[in-house]
Amino acid sequence: MNNIVIIRYGELSLKSPGVRSFFERTLVNNLKAMLEQQAVSYHKIIRDRGRIFVESDDPAAAEVCSNVFGVVSTSFARKVDPNLKSAAAECAAIAGDFIAESESFAIRPRRSGNHSFTSADLGRICGDAVYEILESLGRNPSVNLDDPDKEIFVEMRQNAAYVFTHISKGVGGLPLGTQGKMVVLLSGGIDSPVAAWLLMRRGVNVIPVFCNNAPFSDEATRQKAIKCVNVLNEWSAGNPMKMYEVPNGKNLQAIQDNCSLKNTCILCKRTMYRIAFEVMEKEKASGIITGSSLGQVASQTTYNLHAEIYGLGFPIYHPLISFDKTEIIDLARKIGTYDISTLSSAGCGAVPERPEVRAMYDAVVKEEAKLDVDGLIADSLANARVLYEFE
């Protein structure tokens, strides 16, 4: 009998055979990378129809695997021979230490492959074995299929049976690296790291771009962005990140010197989009991710969101567009970036006292004509640098 982690995935199973095989191979590689990153030992990883199995004696393996994108759930299980006798014996062995005096229990059977017995037979035989061992220990057992105190799961497959007592929820989504690359405008605030994580969850490798607004922002803001990327990179096992830092303070100064102050944030965002687009082209990526959430701040009204992208002509993704702040904060806590994003920093000193909230795209274009946009972007890119390239 071997200790083993059962890896379950969801929508991968709906793909065509060729695509499914590619997704499964990618998931296996990412599982290996995450286990190695977290220093969790394992013997081997096996692909089987609808499941992936990780042979490991480390109790942390199930939880570590549950944090790999594409994994719906995991269970640390015992592997036994695929017959009723072996499954029942293992259920009884587990029950002795698992089910206490007067606790009710249920057997949750599942069967796949060709067997001479049904799932109901599996549940009944294993249930009888558990009841008998508990009774022999004087624990007054009872069966409750609706709301038991304890559950024992039995998954009978063609070549093995698996017995376990817990299912850990995974992050779900698609395996990281199956949906290409995108650039994320990452500020170090609460929202943009969450937006990056959500697209990672859909299989996208993200390339963080930090537009440094100094002297309108401070070093603490920069450090928050770097620390958030460090956290995101931990979720990116097998797909190391590359972070860019691009100066944007000179662009902000030009906007303040030449344009209506109320349009500062919109015009700044347009310069950031152009910077991100150039990085996107360089990295052969296919989109730009932002942390915008509709109506959350003055710059994120429907009018302003239209004005800031008008005429730019490249794909921009807003994964948080319908999220409220509480939902975003909950995700930031789950991801591990919230405490970093809420560290004290000066914020952006260029934000106007009365920002535009109903910008008209044609007016913004006229404002932008007062700037040497191409020259400003070229200067920013000439001074851009790869801040981190993780291995």
Side-chain angles (χ1 to χ4, degrees):
M1 295 184 291
N2 300 308
N3 291 329
I4 200 159
V5 179
I6 303 173
I7 308 291
R8 305 176 189 86
Y9 51 78
E11 58 189 293
L12 276 67
S13 60
L14 303 177
K15 306 297 181 184
S16 64
V19 173
R20 176 173 176 166
S21 180
F22 164 64
F23 277 38
E24 287 180 348
R25 291 197 308 272
T26 304
L27 180 54
V28 166
N29 289 335
N30 292 346
L31 286 165
K32 289 178 180 177
M34 184 65 82
L35 289 165
E36 290 165 7
Q37 175 183 289
Q38 299 298 319
V40 173
S41 62
Y42 66 95
H43 307 300
K44 61 180 176 179
I45 299 179
I46 305 162
R47 286 169 57 195
D48 198 2
R49 184 70 178 173
R51 294 284 187 271
I52 293 171
F53 297 97
V54 179
E55 292 188 359
S56 173
D57 295 319
D58 192 328
E63 183 178 353
V64 168
C65 290
S66 71
N67 288 327
V68 175
F69 297 112
V71 174
V72 171
S73 67
T74 64
S75 294
F76 198 70
R78 297 283 284 176
K79 178 182 177 183
V80 299
D81 292 334
N83 57 63
L84 291 174
K85 181 179 179 181
S86 296
E90 185 60 29
C91 286
I94 287 174
D97 295 324
F98 181 57
I99 303 172
E101 166 69 26
S102 299
E103 283 188 322
S104 62
F105 75 93
I107 302 295
R108 304 301 189 196
R110 182 185 179 93
R111 184 182 63 95
S112 64
N114 297 316
H115 302 280
S116 60
F117 50 86
T118 66
S119 294
D121 294 332
L122 178 61
R124 177 175 52 79
I125 297 297
C126 291
D128 288 345
V130 170
Y131 194 96
E132 288 172 8
I133 192 68
L134 294 175
E135 192 173 43
S136 72
L137 295 171
R139 294 186 186 170
N140 301 311
S142 63
V143 175
N144 185 338
L145 299 181
D146 297 322
D147 187 25
D149 296 311
K150 297 288 177 63
E151 295 175 299
I152 298 178
F153 300 84
V154 185
E155 184 165 322
M156 182 71 66
R157 298 176 69 85
Q158 189 64 46
N159 298 314
Y162 303 91
V163 182
F164 51 97
T165 60
H166 182 70
I167 299 175
S168 297
K169 185 177 180 181
V171 289
L174 298 174
L176 189 61
T178 58
Q179 301 301 308
K181 298 184 290 185
M182 292 188 195
V183 168
V184 57
L185 285 168
L186 195 137
S187 67
I190 294 173
D191 300 338
S192 56
V194 176
W197 186 89
L198 285 173
L199 265 294
M200 291 167 67
R201 185 176 178 269
R202 296 307 300 166
V204 175
N205 278 321
V206 300
I207 304 164
V209 173
F210 173 65
C211 291
N212 192 335
N213 289 337
F216 296 97
S217 65
D218 60 359
E219 177 61 20
T221 300
R222 178 175 178 271
Q223 288 301 318
K224 289 201 301 184
I226 293 170
K227 290 175 181 177
C228 283
V229 171
N230 286 333
V231 172
L232 291 174
N233 190 64
E234 291 177 5
W235 287 92
S236 190
N239 300 266
M241 286 185 175
K242 185 178 185 180
M243 180 184 185
Y244 283 83
E245 180 181 17
V246 187
N248 194 51
K250 184 177 178 180
N251 302 336
L252 265 173
Q253 189 64 63
I255 291 168
Q256 289 202 331
D257 292 343
N258 296 281
C259 304
S260 172
L261 290 180
K262 68 178 182 179
N263 289 316
T264 298
C265 293
I266 300 167
L267 294 170
C268 175
K269 196 63 170 285
R270 288 174 67 86
T271 65
M272 289 182 176
Y273 280 147
R274 288 185 169 95
I275 288 168
F277 173 72
E278 295 299 329
V279 176
M280 184 185 93
E281 291 277 279
K282 178 181 179 180
E283 293 290 339
K284 295 181 173 56
S286 54
I288 297 168
I289 306 164
T290 84
S292 295
S293 172
L294 188 60
Q296 185 180 131
V297 294
S299 62
Q300 294 172 12
T301 64
T302 53
Y303 299 94
N304 291 4
L305 288 170
H306 180 197
E308 72 185 24
I309 67 168
Y310 179 74
L312 296 184
F314 39 79
I316 299 173
Y317 295 80
H318 307 298
L320 299 180
I321 198 70
S322 67
F323 284 52
D324 63 34
K325 197 64 180 182
T326 300
E327 292 171 321
I328 297 170
I329 288 172
D330 288 345
L331 273 173
R333 287 195 170 108
K334 173 182 177 178
I335 295 163
T337 55
Y338 178 77
D339 289 343
I340 297 169
S341 296
T342 52
L343 292 171
S344 178
S345 63
C348 181
V351 176
E353 184 177 347
R354 295 180 180 276
E356 179 64 80
V357 296
R358 294 174 65 90
M360 300 305 293
Y361 66 86
D362 52 349
V364 171
V365 170
K366 290 176 182 177
E367 283 282 284
E368 201 170 59
K370 300 174 184 177
L371 303 169
D372 176 15
V373 174
D374 291 342
L376 290 171
I377 301 303
D379 186 63
S380 288
L381 293 168
N383 291 283
R385 62 181 181 133
V386 175
L387 192 60
Y388 281 109
E389 189 162 8
F390 297 92
E391 297 180 356

